[in-house]
Amino acid sequence: MNPYPLDPYWMVALKALLVVVGLLTAFAFMTLIERRLLARFQIRMGPNRVGPSGLFQPIADAIKSIFKEDLVVERADKVLFVLAPLLGVVFALLAFGAIPFGPPGSFFGFQPWVVNLDLGILYLFAVSEMAIYGIFLAGWASGSKYSLLGSLRSSASLISYELGLGIALLAPVLLVGSLNLNDIVNWQKENGWLFLYAFPAFLVYAIAALAEAARTPFDLPEAEQELVGGYHTEYSSIKWALFQMTEYIHFITASALIPTLFLGGWTMPFFNVPYLWMFLKIAFFLFLFIWIRATWFRLRYDQLLRFGWGFLFPVALVWFLITALVVALGLPRVYLVYLSGLSFLALLGATFYSPKPVRKGGGA
Amino acid sequence: MTLKALAQSLGITLKYLFSKPVTVPYPDAPVALKPRFHGRHVLTRHPNGLEKCIGCSLCAAACPAYAIYVEPAENDPENPVSAGERYAKVYEINMLRCIFCGLCEEACPTGAIVLGYDFEMADYQYSDLIYGKEDMLVDVVGTKPQRREAKMTGKAVKPGYVVPYVRPELEGFKAPTEGGKK
């Protein structure tokens, strides 16, 4: 018997609509929340003019971006120029549907996910990789050098972080023995959260998720200080807003995926209310990412590549091999917990006893 | 850049997240002025109510922007306006020309003209930016546009500043001091 019953098609359609509308609303208010939080991090107040404490700012922004002049650059590839932001948004929206928000039947007697895919993680990969096409085509179709540089950066960084991301996800998949996100969450409900079993993979995945959402410290594709606006330099009006939308939806999706894969999803050892914990976990990661944006700097292009290939990839690979050994030899899974703990202690040690960086060349 | 420094930097920003913003939400909250702020001029009076200005035009002579026009007249000995022989029948300052340098204040032999605190003088017509005696004597509260608005709405003039100090030369001028941040 299928543990994950199917919904009637009209319900799936309704939930898909709900997810799209919910994500777009969340995007609108995330822009406000991020601006307010960044402002508070910088001891400013942030937007507080439109409506009570600035609550209607997203509406004002939406009206503004829709009614602004929509420029299409003379030298642009007209079709791709229009298609690129749409591609980005569509593929960003697609990824969210597979994430479960509660146990089966908890959504008014229906299932709290849009689709239950046996290839869940593979699907997420496919869809989130496609979203890079939006960025890349936008830069290429703009016919401007800064845009092209921005999109080149995004494709180069994609290759460098995506390997680490993909291999980091293999560890939980090996342990659970399924690609289905529901299976992964249920496994965690019974055996404890996956970050206990795969702390290095969790770390690599969280860092790579930042890169995938093109957020600080990996926001190279749209480095304002270096590339004007990066891949969306030539975009204005609603098309520019669509890129913002893409970025924020990636941001929200990443914040939802990290808890789903490593922190137990909607489950909680105590006081288990399905939706509440999922939303709290998402909110926590959204806050964490904004906090990081308020604090850290942007990595240089070569630094990102070196970091991706030299740190994320080997760490993920080593952890994958360890997990594979444990699973293949049938050793108790507790060994992985010990090793995870050790790696966490190593990270703490590296944090507290890190040597002073060696400065190369001159410079103060 | 070490891991330790990265962790420390996160701590620093978190500390600022929970500290009060330094922003002064100006039109909603008053600005605390600095002790040497030069604002709209005030024509002060002696404690007995006589105007200090004797119409000598030294301020007009000192003014680098030629913003001041003074027309003196003889005091009526029975009913004097000022404490001297003469008084300023017309005393006008063109606020569009004034550079708020304070030289008039330094030139004044009687301490009659003092630069005060008001700065919200933006207006629609050139003629409204020429302030006469009736706009600058100590008992006048607010600038021309502020007083116009107060008259239309029926509410009292709401000054956009507080002064966390007392300037003795602004004799008799009541400035808001409460609630200002140092």
Side-chain angles (χ1 to χ4, degrees):
Chain A
M1 189 200 150
N2 189 355
Y4 309 115
L6 289 172
D7 277 341
Y9 285 121
W10 62 268
M11 194 61 210
V12 174
L14 194 69
K15 282 187 300 192
L17 186 72
L18 197 70
V19 163
V20 171
V21 171
L23 273 180
L24 294 189
T25 318
F27 144 71
F29 281 94
M30 270 318 291
T31 58
L32 174 69
I33 292 168
E34 173 154 29
R35 284 168 72 189
R36 290 288 297 220
L37 268 178
L38 278 181
R40 292 306 305 268
F41 272 117
Q42 297 160 358
I43 30 177
R44 296 182 289 117
M45 287 191 160
N48 61 356
R49 294 284 93 185
V50 194
S53 52
L55 266 180
F56 300 149
Q57 184 71 40
I59 299 168
D61 285 344
I63 292 171
K64 189 200 85 170
S65 47
I66 288 168
F67 285 103
K68 267 178 95 167
E69 186 184 359
D70 196 1
L71 285 171
V72 177
V73 197
E74 184 84 356
R75 288 175 61 189
D77 183 325
K78 302 283 186 304
V79 179
L80 284 183
F81 190 78
V82 177
L83 201 61
L86 298 177
L87 263 181
V89 167
V90 167
F91 283 112
L93 282 172
L94 278 178
F96 210 81
I99 299 170
F101 273 74
S106 67
F107 184 71
F108 306 115
F110 296 101
Q111 314 314 318
W113 53 79
V114 179
V115 279
N116 175 42
L117 290 171
D118 285 337
L119 291 173
I121 288 181
L122 220 57
Y123 165 78
L124 288 175
F125 260 116
V127 165
S128 61
E129 299 325 289
M130 286 301 283
I132 301 292
Y133 274 87
I135 293 179
F136 186 68
L137 288 178
W140 189 77
S142 293
S144 129
K145 61 183 167 195
Y146 288 122
S147 304
L148 189 63
L149 280 173
S151 60
L152 275 179
R153 282 181 173 196
S154 79
S155 15
S157 57
L158 166 81
I159 294 168
S160 61
Y161 69 72
E162 204 62 49
L163 276 170
L165 186 90
I167 292 171
L169 278 189
L170 286 181
V173 168
L174 267 181
L175 278 173
V176 177
S178 167
L179 287 163
N180 190 325
L181 286 174
N182 279 306
D183 286 342
I184 292 176
V185 171
N186 285 335
W187 189 90
Q188 296 184 72
K189 198 178 175 186
E190 281 152 28
N191 301 306
W193 292 359
L194 266 167
F195 85 100
L196 293 173
Y197 294 88
F199 182 73
F202 166 64
L203 201 67
V204 169
Y205 184 74
I207 295 172
L210 271 178
E212 191 173 17
R215 310 247 337 149
T216 320
F218 307 115
D219 55 346
L220 291 159
E222 44 174 322
E224 284 106 356
Q225 292 86 347
E226 305 149 32
L227 298 180
V228 194
Y231 61 90
H232 56 53
T233 305
E234 305 298 342
Y235 281 88
S236 56
S237 171
I238 190 67
K239 294 207 204 83
W240 181 85
L242 284 178
F243 278 120
Q244 289 297 305
M245 209 183 271
T246 312
E247 192 183 311
Y248 274 93
I249 292 169
H250 273 301
F251 177 32
I252 297 167
T253 311
S255 309
L257 273 179
I258 298 173
T260 305
L261 291 169
F262 290 98
L263 296 177
W266 48 267
T267 64
M268 197 72 186
F270 55 90
F271 192 60
N272 198 351
V273 184
Y275 291 90
L276 175 78
W277 285 111
M278 190 60 190
F279 284 120
L280 281 181
K281 285 170 186 174
I282 294 176
F284 171 75
F285 276 97
L286 290 175
F287 172 76
L288 189 73
F289 285 178
I290 293 173
W291 185 11
I292 285 173
R293 179 174 171 191
T295 310
W296 290 350
F297 42 84
R298 180 185 310 127
L299 285 183
R300 222 189 312 135
Y301 184 48
D302 61 312
Q303 286 170 334
L304 172 60
L305 296 190
R306 189 174 302 139
F307 183 67
W309 286 98
F311 177 75
L312 292 184
F313 178 52
V315 167
L317 195 62
V318 165
W319 195 257
F320 166 61
L321 288 178
I322 292 173
T323 315
L325 266 180
V326 169
V327 172
L329 300 179
L331 299 172
R333 304 286 154 92
V334 192
Y335 287 179
L336 280 178
V337 179
Y338 295 151
L339 278 174
S340 279
L342 267 182
S343 64
F344 177 68
L345 287 180
L347 179 74
L348 270 188
T351 305
F352 284 109
Y353 298 104
S354 46
K356 287 222 160 179
V358 183
R359 293 184 198 283
K360 286 172 193 161
Chain B
M1 188 51 61
T2 63
L3 274 176
K4 191 180 180 180
L6 286 178
Q8 278 172 341
S9 63
L10 280 176
I12 292 170
T13 44
L14 194 67
K15 192 182 82 192
Y16 281 113
L17 175 65
F18 292 107
S19 62
K20 206 169 174 295
V22 291
T23 315
V24 178
Y26 158 56
D28 297 341
V31 180
L33 297 180
K34 294 285 181 276
R36 289 168 70 174
F37 182 79
H38 281 167
R40 193 259 298 166
H41 314 66
V42 174
L43 290 171
T44 52
R45 291 177 190 272
H46 286 293
N48 61 7
L50 289 177
E51 287 175 17
K52 284 185 186 172
C53 180
I54 53 169
C56 67
S57 294
L58 277 176
C59 48
C63 183
Y66 303 120
I68 308 181
Y69 173 73
V70 188
E71 204 178 306
E74 295 289 328
N75 261 326
D76 178 6
E78 302 300 313
N79 192 11
V81 179
S82 79
E85 237 172 68
R86 301 196 292 177
Y87 73 101
K89 195 173 86 184
V90 178
Y91 193 104
E92 285 178 348
I93 297 181
N94 186 342
M95 292 299 175
L96 288 170
R97 304 201 67 165
C98 177
I99 58 171
F100 298 92
C101 62
L103 285 182
C104 48
E105 184 179 331
E106 286 180 33
C108 185
T110 60
I113 184 160
V114 183
L115 276 88
Y117 309 113
D118 280 327
F119 54 88
E120 293 159 309
M121 285 181 284
D123 218 332
Y124 295 97
Q125 289 178 353
Y126 287 156
S127 57
D128 283 336
L129 279 142
I130 295 170
Y131 279 50
K133 267 175 88 172
E134 68 279 9
D135 303 312
M136 289 188 292
L137 279 169
V138 267
D139 8 69
V140 176
V141 180
T143 61
K144 264 193 190 177
Q146 283 180 318
R147 279 182 290 131
R148 195 187 309 131
E149 195 193 330
K151 202 172 150 193
M152 278 164 67
T153 57
K155 291 175 191 159
V157 170
K158 184 173 158 262
Y161 60 86
V162 285
V163 278
Y165 55 92
V166 180
R167 282 182 69 195
E169 56 269 41
L170 272 167
E171 195 175 342
F173 187 83
K174 287 179 194 67
T177 50
E178 293 294 306
K181 281 190 297 183
K182 281 259 159 98

